[in-house]
Amino acid sequence: MAITITEPAAKHVANFLVNRGKGIGLRLGVKTSGCSGMAYVLEFVDVLNEDDEVFIDKGVSIIVDKKSLVYLNGTELDFVKNGLNEGFEFNNPNIDGECGCGESFSV
């Protein structure tokens, strides 16, 4: 089981952690939401939970709880800029479909 991160995403997360002044990494999770059933959750982590798995890639710790890992195994986190828009993209091999707005997915 593994979660990976691209170089642009790793730089973006590392800069955020430095500017924030604290934190051990970035939590990647899922929640029930949207028209397709599930949505990604990203948040900074200051303290690990008992059920967390930690993946270190390109110097960044990506923390995933065991329930979310079932849906996220093999996911690559990327950070892209398209014109004036920028944000994280999730290259998740487990999804069966996405909603039209791209905010949620199904497995």
Side-chain angles (χ1 to χ4, degrees), residues 17-82:
L17 287 170
V18 167
N19 290 336
R20 188 171 180 255
K22 63 179 181 176
I24 59 173
L26 182 71
R27 178 176 303 284
L28 174 58
V30 295
K31 67 178 181 176
T32 303
S33 178
C35 51
S36 289
M38 305 191 93
Y40 296 105
V41 176
L42 286 175
E43 60 187 11
F44 292 108
V45 176
D46 295 325
V47 177
L48 290 176
N49 297 327
E50 191 174 296
D51 68 336
D52 285 339
E53 295 282 336
V54 180
F55 301 93
I56 300 172
D57 189 22
K58 296 175 184 60
V60 173
S61 294
I62 305 164
I63 296 102
V64 182
D65 65 270
K66 289 182 182 176
K67 289 181 183 178
S68 294
L69 187 55
V70 172
Y71 305 104
L72 298 172
N73 185 34
T75 297
E76 177 187 63
L77 182 62
D78 194 8
F79 188 79
V80 296
K81 293 183 180 184
N82 292 320

Side-chain angles (χ1 to χ4, degrees), residues 5-16 57-60 77-79 88:
I5 189 168
T6 65
E7 195 64 42
K11 287 180 183 178
H12 194 74
V13 170
N15 286 339
F16 259 93
D57 189 22
K58 296 175 184 60
V60 173
L77 182 62
D78 194 8
F79 188 79
F88 287 102

Side-chain angles (χ1 to χ4, degrees), residues 87-103:
F88 287 102
E89 282 189 359
F90 306 90
N91 301 313
N92 185 343
N94 305 301
I95 63 170
D96 288 332
E98 295 179 283
C99 68
C101 65
E103 294 295 317

